[in-house]
Amino acid sequence: QVQLEESGGGLVQAGGSLRLSCTASTIVFRNNAMGWYRQAPGQERKLVAFIFEDGARINYADLVKGRFTISRDNAKNTVTLDLNNLEPEDTAVYYCNSFPPWYGGRVWGQGTQVTVSS
């Protein structure tokens, strides 16, 4: 059974920080790039960052470059996203998934809500 479980969201003031964590099933995690995505109210889900299995190849969306850091622990099937210098525009539900998304995007976890107040 495929599982994606995100945690770590919360309410923070602008300029604050959060650490998001995700645990994924081995079938999703192993041998795949992993990504963090976010969906703001009324908007489509968008890719925020992804990291290849080797941990050395990483890419960020322009909007978060320099503020967010993605990492992974292959021994624990976890992927982490450190969010720094948060802005109200970062408010969204954050999801992890493989990159590209597992099974064509038909499988997602419940996500974790990040709310940034101004």
Side-chain angles (χ1 to χ4, degrees):
Q1 184 176 357
V2 173
Q3 289 186 322
L4 295 160
E5 186 172 344
E6 302 91 349
S7 63
L11 171 64
V12 296
Q13 292 186 332
S17 299
L18 285 171
R19 168 167 283 188
L20 308 183
S21 295
C22 168
T23 300
S25 301
T26 299
I27 192 171
V28 176
F29 194 90
R30 189 166 294 173
N31 298 322
N32 290 313
M34 292 296 296
W36 279 95
Y37 306 76
R38 70 185 185 187
Q39 186 169 21
Q43 297 185 21
E44 294 183 350
R45 188 176 287 144
K46 298 178 181 179
L47 178 67
V48 173
F50 66 87
I51 181 169
F52 279 84
E53 189 185 22
D54 61 9
R57 292 174 289 167
I58 293 172
N59 191 272
Y60 298 96
D62 288 343
L63 288 174
V64 307
K65 200 171 293 184
R67 300 188 297 119
F68 292 7
T69 303
I70 190 171
S71 60
R72 65 188 288 163
D73 186 334
N74 291 342
K76 298 180 179 179
N77 286 6
T78 60
V79 58
T80 300
L81 187 68
D82 288 311
L83 290 65
N84 295 303
N85 195 20
L86 282 160
E87 303 170 353
E89 294 73 21
D90 295 318
T91 295
V93 179
Y94 285 70
Y95 302 87
C96 74
N97 208 322
S98 59
F99 174 73
W102 187 257
Y103 199 34
R106 295 179 181 85
V107 179
W108 293 90
Q110 80 287 351
T112 186
Q113 176 72 49
V114 172
T115 303
V116 185
S117 62
S118 57

